[in-house]
């Protein structure tokens, strides 16, 4: 993998599993945005990767585009490891997921990335319209010159640090709670 910082990364290796991931990949391709990011597709090409090392890729990217598998779900909210990974590696993200998942993230104490990233897509009920708005936001931010985008992302450092600290604190609390459950009679 080259060492240049890029606008984004997108771990989309399993893109064939969902229509939304396929559409996202096609959108990135048809709008000439693949060269601005590190995208895994399970196939090595000039602009995509078969495998991407998570830590290395996140460190070489300014944001993470997170395509979740539950895009069309209307069930209760659930955060996958992909979001917690962003907290752990202090990485801002755009979330291709179900309606109100960003609101849920805020409700459990984390911060998100407005106004640098327009998160209005999170409020959209219609799946197709929400997907279109996510793609438009990806295009808007990746169209910025890299130096300008670096400055924008620098404005999110405090939010990323806050999310990291909250994640570590919650993880330690859950470990203690689990330990208590297995060592004490309840």
């Amino acid at each position: 993998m080259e060492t240049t910082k890029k606008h984004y990364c997108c771990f989309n290796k399993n893109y064939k599993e969902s229509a939304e991931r396929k559409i996202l990949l096609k959108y990135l391709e048809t709008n000439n945005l693949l060269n601005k990011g590190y995208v895994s597709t399970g196939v090595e090409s000039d602009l995509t990767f078969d495998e991407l090392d998570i830590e290395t890729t996140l460190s070489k990217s300014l944001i993470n585009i997170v395509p979740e598998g539950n895009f069309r779900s209307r069930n209760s909210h659930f955060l996958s490891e992909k979001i917690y990974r962003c907290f752990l590696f202090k990485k801002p993200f755009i979330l291709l997921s179900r309606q109100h998942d960003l609101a849920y993230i805020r409700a459990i104490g984390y911060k998100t990335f407005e106004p640098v990233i327009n998160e209005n897509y999170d409020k959209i009920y219609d799946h197709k319209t929400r997907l279109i708005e996510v793609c438009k936001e990806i295009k808007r931010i990746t169209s910025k010159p890299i130096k300008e985008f670096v400055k924008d992302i620098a404005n999110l450092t405090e939010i990323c640090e806050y999310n990291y600290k909250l994640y570590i604190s919650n993880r330690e609390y859950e470990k203690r709670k689990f330990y208590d459950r297995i060592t004490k009679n309840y």
Side-chain angles (χ1 to χ4, degrees):
M1 176 188 307
E2 59 188 90
T3 58
T4 308
K5 273 262 193 209
K6 293 202 175 195
H7 283 78
Y8 71 93
C9 62
C10 181
F11 298 94
N12 201 28
K13 184 173 181 174
N14 297 324
Y15 75 93
K16 295 175 185 173
E17 294 177 0
S18 80
E20 296 78 27
R21 290 179 189 206
K22 287 179 189 176
I23 292 168
L24 173 63
L25 183 60
K26 188 67 174 170
Y27 184 87
L28 295 172
E29 180 182 9
T30 57
N31 286 276
N32 298 313
L33 301 176
L34 287 174
N35 62 334
K36 295 189 176 215
Y38 298 108
V39 180
S40 65
T41 61
V43 178
E44 186 82 25
S45 76
D46 289 342
L47 297 173
T48 64
F49 299 86
D50 179 19
E51 296 283 338
L52 289 171
D53 176 75
I54 292 167
E55 187 171 2
T56 303
T57 303
L58 286 170
S59 73
K60 294 179 181 179
S61 307
L62 296 170
I63 64 165
N64 187 11
I65 298 170
V66 180
E68 288 287 15
N70 59 3
F71 184 79
R72 294 179 181 273
S73 176
R74 300 277 184 212
N75 296 329
S76 61
H77 297 281
F78 166 80
L79 299 184
S80 76
E81 79 288 349
K82 297 175 199 91
I83 296 302
Y84 292 111
R85 179 185 302 146
C86 291
F87 298 153
L88 182 62
F89 290 104
K90 302 176 185 177
K91 192 61 54 185
F93 55 86
I94 293 178
L95 185 58
L96 181 64
S97 188
R98 68 181 125 201
Q99 180 190 25
H100 298 307
D101 272 355
L102 289 174
Y104 174 72
I105 289 169
R106 290 187 295 271
I108 61 172
Y110 292 96
K111 296 180 180 181
T112 58
F113 309 103
E114 281 196 305
V116 172
I117 298 172
N118 180 344
E119 297 174 340
N120 286 332
Y121 63 84
D122 189 54
K123 300 171 188 164
I124 300 171
Y125 179 82
D126 180 71
H127 303 305
K128 182 179 178 182
T129 305
R130 188 170 60 258
L131 176 59
I132 290 167
E133 291 305 310
V134 168
C135 289
K136 284 181 183 177
E137 182 59 10
I138 291 167
K139 184 175 182 180
R140 183 187 74 80
I141 65 174
T142 58
S143 294
K144 293 181 177 188
I146 194 74
K147 288 183 179 183
E148 180 183 340
F149 195 51
V150 166
K151 289 178 184 177
D152 286 348
I153 296 305
N155 292 325
L156 301 175
T157 301
E158 286 182 30
I159 292 172
C160 292
E161 189 64 35
Y162 171 88
N163 288 345
Y164 171 80
K165 288 177 181 175
L166 182 58
Y167 170 74
I168 295 299
S169 174
N170 287 343
R171 189 173 72 175
E172 292 306 313
Y173 170 76
E174 291 299 323
K175 276 188 205 176
R176 286 190 306 277
K177 193 166 95 175
F178 180 70
Y179 178 78
D180 287 347
R181 287 173 108 184
I182 63 175
T183 60
K184 298 176 182 174
N185 290 334
Y186 282 97

